[in-house]
Amino acid sequence: MRQKSLAANLMVLFALAGLYGHSQSVTPAATKVSTKKVSSHTTYYIDPFALQLDLILPPPPGRDSGIATSELGELHRIEASRTSAQIAQAQTDDHEEDIFIFKSVLGPNFTAEALPVTAALSSQIRTDESAASGPLKKTYRRPRPYQVDGTLHPVCTVNPEPNSYPSGHSLSGYLLAFTLVQIVPEKRQEIFDRADEYAHNRLICGVHYVSDTEASRKVAYAIFGSLAASPRFQRDLAAAREETRLKLGLPLALPPQ
């Protein structure tokens, strides 16, 4: 999914947001981040209403449009060719929406149990993602593919609501990828690849159109810019960086980019 474009746009985003220099190490005060989960009814880092994401994101393709017809055809092709291994991975991803979906990139020590500060950061980002994507889903009310085409056979959790656009899972995946790249930049490309796989697995599941996941990637840029501008996020990111790099045996000082 256009990895070069993703990386280039993200680099611009980071520059505009004024993120840390990559040679910076974490100060002891930064480790005082709270690991308490926040309410699902509040945001932690952003004001989703100030972002006005509905002005950034165009409406989804019309139900009877050529694009929508083509996307349904693609989902049928995916359904006909998906393997049992692909289904199993998509179902696993369906039930996990946290930063530890990148365990396959960072190894067995990258777990919530081993990294409580990083887990708290992930949870807080997920809370903000839900607060941002929920109103968009209600605005566009795009039916899920299986609600439009009864011959599709989804293999993951189905939702009776018409809330396909944008994909919440995909948005979480991209936001968490952008965050994790700031923690372990040595694995930048592998992290982006995994985020794309995570988004594509929503198609393997049969619960989203490709334009749903593409919309999530676009919205993720705007949301992450707001995250990066938050002093609270910068503090928590620094603490998570220290914790994760120590656990993975990586130097605290990030490599030059």
Side-chain angles (χ1 to χ4, degrees):
M1 287 189 178
R2 298 193 286 277
Q3 287 290 347
K4 291 184 179 178
S5 175
L6 174 62
N9 288 335
L10 189 55
M11 288 174 66
V12 172
L13 180 64
F14 291 156
L16 292 174
L19 288 182
Y20 311 110
H22 279 163
S23 62
Q24 180 178 354
S25 59
V26 179
T27 62
T31 62
K32 295 181 180 179
V33 56
S34 170
T35 58
K36 181 180 178 180
K37 290 187 177 181
V38 296
S39 167
S40 60
H41 300 292
T42 63
T43 56
Y44 198 74
Y45 300 121
I46 67 171
D47 179 355
F49 299 104
L51 288 173
Q52 294 186 301
L53 296 173
D54 57 325
L55 300 181
I56 298 172
L57 188 65
R63 179 167 175 170
D64 297 324
S65 68
I67 294 176
T69 299
S70 176
E71 288 187 322
L72 283 172
E74 180 179 11
L75 289 175
H76 277 286
R77 289 190 293 273
I78 290 173
E79 181 177 304
S81 63
R82 62 192 177 192
T83 66
S84 57
Q86 288 176 321
I87 291 173
Q89 182 61 61
Q91 290 172 335
T92 296
D93 285 351
D94 184 47
H95 294 292
E96 184 168 14
E97 287 185 83
D98 57 41
I99 203 166
F100 302 103
I101 62 173
F102 297 98
K103 183 178 180 180
S104 58
V105 174
L106 297 181
N109 291 330
F110 190 65
T111 66
E113 295 74 19
L115 301 167
V117 173
T118 305
L121 173 65
S122 172
S123 177
Q124 290 151 3
I125 291 172
R126 175 71 181 91
T127 294
D128 283 10
E129 175 276 311
S130 182
S133 66
L136 290 174
K137 287 176 175 287
K138 291 179 180 179
T139 294
Y140 296 115
R141 293 186 59 81
R142 187 184 197 185
R144 297 274 182 160
Y146 51 82
Q147 293 169 335
V148 173
D149 185 343
T151 66
L152 287 170
H153 302 90
V155 292
C156 299
T157 306
V158 296
N159 192 315
E161 295 297 319
N163 61 356
S164 196
Y165 186 87
S167 163
H169 275 76
S170 302
L171 180 52
S172 286
Y174 285 118
L175 288 174
L176 293 168
F178 296 169
T179 300
L180 191 55
V181 162
Q182 296 304 296
I183 296 174
V184 191
E186 298 95 326
K187 295 289 187 177
R188 175 186 301 269
Q189 191 59 53
E190 293 93 332
I191 291 168
F192 287 156
D193 288 344
R194 174 62 176 127
D196 279 346
E197 177 192 53
Y198 187 73
H200 181 70
N201 279 342
R202 304 308 288 159
L203 309 185
I204 298 292
C205 281
V207 297
H208 277 291
Y209 302 91
V210 67
S211 55
D212 297 338
T213 63
E214 289 176 347
S216 297
R217 186 175 63 248
K218 293 174 183 177
V219 170
Y221 295 135
I223 295 177
F224 193 79
S226 184
L227 286 173
S230 163
R232 176 183 280 183
F233 174 77
Q234 292 182 1
R235 179 202 68 196
D236 292 356
L237 174 64
R241 180 189 291 125
E242 180 181 54
E243 178 188 67
T244 296
R245 293 185 71 83
L246 283 172
K247 185 65 178 180
L248 298 182
L250 299 172
L252 291 183
L254 300 185
Q257 298 298 302

